[in-house]
Amino acid sequence: MTAEAEGLTPGEVAAMRRDGFHFPIEPLTEEEAAAARADCEEYLGIVDRVGGFLSVYRYFPKIHLFNMWAYEIARNERILAAVRSLIGPDVLVWGSELFQRRAGGGSSLAWHQDSVYYGLAGVEEHAVRVWVALTPADEGNGTLRFSRGSHLLGPQEHAFGGDTLADKMRGEEVRIDIEPDSEVAVELRAGQASMHSMLVAHCSGENTSGEDRLNFAVDYVSPKVVPATPDSALLVSGDDHGRFQPEQAPGAGFGQDEVRRAMAATRLRVKRTREGSAAAPGPV
């Protein structure tokens, strides 16, 4: 392994276990992030024109199965080296998600835990989400905020904070008191990324800046994670699929077979999450 693809240090792993998050890691240069952003924006334009299924699921949950830019990020060796430091040598991509916060947008997202929506057992030690900045992320454009140590509380009850449309748009809120001194804002340049436990409470604010914010998130799990009902995942390191049905890496962007397989995997995921959990929160 080259020096630039080394994993986390023992101290960084310990801090991740303690805090529930770690940043920054450096998977992309700013030039690579700009190229990925251009490809991503082209992708969004295509699916908007195509409409139908691809348009409905343009932001999640299997973008990496039919977009080469997304697949290349998902299997980025700098990311995988850091992920292996946390969950071991066998690594599966469980899902990918695109977060687009428009300039001047008034939306925000309530404090929540990802894991309560996923129906996965074993995520406490054997899963991690990597959130890659395709544009700069800062407090002005509504970046993520983590609550340090909140993952140690385990899964918590969630509920809507009120009955208005604005309350619903903010998503369900975790029913714990977030201590102000536990809050940490994720500030990243384009090309950097953060990592967080699926149990850590996090939120995001409004984008009051003049530029869009664009982030691409990848959920990595080890074969020790067990889905509540049949599910699939893409092996990107090691040789064990565990309880997940194997997915196939894309050979071309928007290839007919790639789109067909991504649609089938998406239907399987949507079916199981609808049956096994409440509606997931909106884009962060």
Side-chain angles (χ1 to χ4, degrees):
M1 185 180 294
T2 64
E4 65 180 1
E6 290 178 351
L8 303 183
T9 68
E12 289 170 337
V13 171
M16 173 79 183
R17 302 291 189 209
R18 180 192 68 230
D19 297 337
F21 58 85
H22 170 72
F23 68 91
I25 60 173
E26 310 271 349
L28 303 175
T29 65
E30 292 188 74
E31 292 75 17
E32 289 169 336
R37 177 186 181 180
D39 289 341
C40 174
E41 290 174 340
E42 180 182 23
Y43 153 71
L44 289 172
I46 291 171
V47 295
D48 281 343
R49 291 193 297 273
V50 169
F53 187 95
L54 290 180
S55 181
V56 171
Y57 293 103
R58 64 189 181 275
Y59 291 121
F60 73 100
K62 298 286 184 177
I63 302 168
H64 61 285
L65 292 184
F66 65 103
N67 281 276
M68 296 308 296
W69 65 267
Y71 171 63
E72 292 299 333
I73 293 176
R75 69 167 189 157
N76 178 283
E77 181 56 29
R78 296 181 185 91
I79 293 176
L80 291 180
V83 170
R84 285 191 291 261
S85 300
L86 297 169
I87 67 174
D90 300 319
V91 179
L92 301 161
V93 174
W94 180 72
S96 58
E97 193 163 356
L98 185 62
F99 299 110
Q100 186 179 39
R101 185 62 59 82
R102 293 292 191 184
S107 62
S108 63
L109 192 66
W111 288 97
H112 68 281
Q113 298 169 302
D114 293 331
S115 63
V116 299
Y117 303 101
Y118 288 168
L120 299 173
V123 297
E124 295 85 353
E125 294 292 332
H126 306 298
V128 63
R129 167 167 280 201
V130 176
W131 195 70
V132 182
L134 300 185
T135 62
D138 54 44
E139 294 198 76
N141 60 26
T143 192
L144 286 180
R145 297 184 70 84
F146 294 129
S147 175
R148 182 183 283 112
S150 55
H151 63 304
L152 300 175
L153 299 173
Q156 298 292 309
E157 180 184 355
H158 287 60
F160 287 110
D163 296 324
T164 68
L165 178 59
D167 294 327
K168 302 299 184 186
M169 290 180 66
R170 293 188 73 239
E172 291 191 322
E173 186 170 10
V174 63
R175 292 314 203 193
I176 60 174
D177 292 328
I178 303 296
E179 297 294 335
D181 60 2
S182 78
E183 296 184 26
V184 178
V186 181
E187 302 254 352
L188 302 171
R189 68 154 174 81
Q192 291 182 323
S194 65
M195 313 176 73
H196 68 270
S197 164
M198 292 182 181
L199 282 167
V200 76
H202 57 287
C203 69
S204 64
E206 301 178 6
N207 182 355
T208 59
S209 76
E211 300 288 337
D212 292 351
R213 174 170 64 77
L214 195 60
N215 297 80
F216 181 65
V218 186
D219 291 314
Y220 296 95
V221 301
S222 93
K224 296 179 181 179
V225 168
V226 179
T229 58
D231 205 347
S232 61
L234 176 68
L235 186 69
V236 289
S237 178
D239 58 6
D240 187 359
H241 272 91
R243 303 287 185 86
F244 293 89
Q245 299 173 17
E247 295 174 347
Q248 185 172 333
F254 277 95
Q256 183 174 351
D257 290 340
E258 282 79 1
V259 170
R260 175 181 54 79
R261 289 192 295 263
M263 290 173 67
T266 297
R267 289 191 179 98
L268 179 64
R269 174 64 49 76
V270 170
K271 179 178 185 294
R272 67 174 298 272
T273 52
R274 281 179 176 172
E275 291 175 351
S277 64
V284 297

